[in-house]
Amino acid sequence: MAQVRLDKVTKIYDGNVLAVDEFTLDIQDKEFLVLVGPSGCGKSTTLRMIAGLEEISGGDLYIGDRRVNDVAPKDRDIAMVFQNYALYPHMSVFDNMSFALRLRRVSKAEIKKQVESAADILGIHELLQRKPRQLSGGQRQRVAMGRAIVRDPKVFLFDEPLSNLDAKLRVQMRVELGRLHARLETTVIYVTHDQVEAMTLADRIVVMKDGVVQQVGTPMDLFHTPTNAFVGGFIGSPSMNFLTADVKSEGDQITLTGNGFKFILDDERSAAVRTSGDSQIQFGLRPLHVVPGEPGQAQFSARVDVIEPMGVEAFYHFNVGDAAVVGRAEGGARCKVGDTVQFGVDYDGLHLFSADGTKRLNA
Ligand SMILES: Nc1ncnc2c1ncn2[C@@H]1O[C@H](COP(=O)(O)OP(=O)(O)O)[C@@H](O)[C@H]1O
Ligand SMILES: [Mg+2]
């Protein structure tokens, strides 16, 4: 069993830098957990505290049932893969992969068996005698993973392992990583700034910002019910569009108005907005709900600024009042640059947030 439990885990670096603020989470055995967020939000620091490479300033960390705050990295039964791979340049691939086993005084025959088995999984058998400098980026990446696999750890930690690869290889390795996890059946904690990696690999995603966990959930939870505007904007590509609206209350109904739109909310959403008491709110629209000419419960008027035809679909850059809004529709262009078009969004496509974006208002 390899659950990992963080209870208010906090990191304050010298100089009073609060890098991670009371991170609390139960990571399940065999789960693929992804930590995602912009650069500097505290992802690596969190991972390094789990690995034991960074001292924990506050809170408790458990691996299995054991509190490991003060346990040395080598005794935590984890293996970490770094962004820069950190291979030993003077050692062959075989020696890089077997290094930890040699330290553990595993027999030669057993080392050979384990290294070859990992090499087979990763398709790098023919590279075992090479030195790291004789490998491509993608091959080095595989060796770094192989080195982690042979240790047979309870938990794999990955810190942006694909960031140094070109776009095509990144997609290929991403698919391989998913396959590898299914095969190894171990707990994985994976750090990335790339929301696509997070969406495609994760059982659950943790979105961080400024050292603080914003939301934890499945990819679909985060996509459909982001808890604040930050998560809404971070998860999903192209990004969620945001508009500011004035709130007008007439009887039980709330009307949202702005430059380019005016619509009445249904009872449930009216109640949610009224409870917040805000005179202005922000709302988000996913590009997939912004389809020129489409009818819907909330109507918008937009001027077409740019059209990007992609073949199967086209992206539309609109101005709704002064706000830039991206739309998407299947097939070729449905309108011309300079046109004024209407589009409708059903209530289900509206993500209502407080004016400052910190709170979600609708369920
Ligand atoms: N050794 C350090 N000393 C002081 N501050 C640090 C150190 N390492 C990271 N930080 C700061 O802690 C914050 C989180 O960094 P990091 O965990 O590396 O973020 P991420 O991996 O999400 O990009 C940043 O503000 C960063 O500048
Ligand atoms: Mg980092």
Side-chain angles (χ1 to χ4, degrees):
M1 287 292 277
Q3 289 148 308
V4 177
R5 185 149 69 86
L6 296 93
D7 187 11
K8 298 192 176 164
V9 168
T10 296
K11 178 67 187 184
I12 303 170
Y13 283 112
D14 288 348
N16 227 5
V17 180
L18 178 59
V20 178
D21 191 7
E22 301 204 339
F23 191 122
T24 294
L25 185 68
D26 273 317
I27 302 162
Q28 306 303 316
D29 188 34
K30 301 189 174 69
E31 179 166 14
F32 199 122
L33 184 92
V34 177
L35 297 181
V36 71
S39 175
C41 72
K43 306 179 296 292
S44 293
T45 301
T46 303
L47 202 70
R48 293 171 61 83
M49 285 193 286
I50 297 170
L53 302 173
E54 207 66 74
E55 203 180 313
I56 295 173
S57 315
D60 300 299
L61 172 68
Y62 300 86
I63 298 178
D65 294 329
R66 187 161 67 133
R67 183 176 181 276
V68 295
N69 286 50
D70 303 313
V71 174
K74 67 177 173 49
D75 299 324
R76 291 191 185 191
D77 213 350
I78 47 120
M80 184 148 167
V81 177
F82 297 90
Q83 178 176 352
N84 61 8
Y85 319 138
L87 301 176
Y88 301 110
H90 57 285
M91 288 186 196
S92 69
V93 167
F94 185 94
D95 288 344
N96 263 286
M97 285 173 65
S98 59
F99 189 72
L101 299 182
R102 279 184 282 141
L103 285 184
R104 277 191 219 155
R105 307 197 177 282
V106 175
S107 75
K108 272 200 165 153
E110 183 61 25
I111 288 178
K112 186 163 185 295
K113 194 174 124 202
Q114 297 208 17
V115 170
E116 290 188 345
S117 153
D120 283 341
I121 292 174
L122 294 162
I124 53 172
H125 214 121
E126 71 287 0
L127 306 177
L128 286 174
Q129 297 317 316
R130 290 204 200 165
K131 295 274 170 61
R133 73 183 132 76
Q134 298 168 305
L135 304 175
S136 70
Q139 290 169 333
R140 281 179 208 168
Q141 168 62 32
R142 284 193 179 81
V143 174
M145 288 208 279
R147 194 171 54 175
I149 290 170
V150 295
R151 297 178 57 180
D152 190 24
K154 280 192 185 145
V155 184
F156 282 97
L157 306 179
F158 290 97
D159 194 352
E160 311 239 7
L162 308 185
S163 296
N164 286 347
L165 305 178
D166 64 49
K168 190 169 167 209
L169 198 53
R170 201 153 60 221
V171 173
Q172 189 188 330
M173 290 302 289
R174 195 175 79 206
V175 175
E176 283 187 28
L177 263 169
R179 201 178 285 139
L180 194 64
H181 176 245
R183 174 155 179 185
L184 297 175
E185 296 195 318
T186 44
T187 309
V188 173
I189 307 175
Y190 185 102
V191 161
T192 178
H193 64 273
D194 179 352
Q195 65 88 25
V196 177
E197 274 174 35
M199 290 294 279
T200 50
L201 286 169
D203 293 317
R204 278 190 309 164
I205 299 175
V206 178
V207 181
M208 294 181 75
K209 177 180 174 245
D210 300 336
V212 179
V213 171
Q214 304 291 305
Q215 188 170 5
V216 181
T218 64
M220 286 303 119
D221 286 344
L222 300 200
F223 187 81
H224 292 297
T225 326
T227 191
N228 58 32
F230 176 79
V231 175
F234 196 82
I235 298 289
S237 174
S239 286
M240 183 179 274
N241 302 292
F242 292 99
L243 293 160
T244 303
D246 293 322
V247 175
K248 291 222 170 56
S249 191
E250 286 164 39
D252 280 350
Q253 301 273 270
I254 292 281
T255 306
L256 296 183
T257 55
N259 200 347
F261 61 89
K262 176 175 185 182
F263 53 85
I264 296 172
L265 289 177
D266 61 338
D267 291 351
E268 190 190 326
R269 290 170 183 82
S270 290
V273 170
R274 190 167 323 94
T275 312
S276 79
D278 295 344
S279 60
Q280 263 202 339
I281 64 156
Q282 254 194 76
F283 63 95
L285 302 175
R286 295 252 178 234
L288 86 149
H289 293 131
V290 176
V291 182
E294 191 78 4
Q297 289 157 323
Q299 278 296 323
F300 297 82
S301 171
R303 191 172 167 282
V304 184
D305 186 22
V306 173
I307 300 174
E308 298 176 294
M310 310 291 288
V312 202
E313 59 190 353
F315 293 111
Y316 299 83
H317 296 256
F318 296 116
N319 296 308
V320 175
D322 299 327
V325 168
V326 175
R328 179 198 164 274
E330 290 188 5
R334 301 182 173 203
C335 45
K336 297 192 307 294
V337 169
D339 287 356
T340 294
V341 299
Q342 309 292 315
F343 65 86
V345 179
D346 281 343
Y347 294 137
D348 285 343
L350 298 176
H351 300 264
L352 307 173
F353 300 110
S354 58
D356 64 4
T358 58
K359 276 200 314 274
R360 183 183 182 88
L361 304 177
N362 60 314

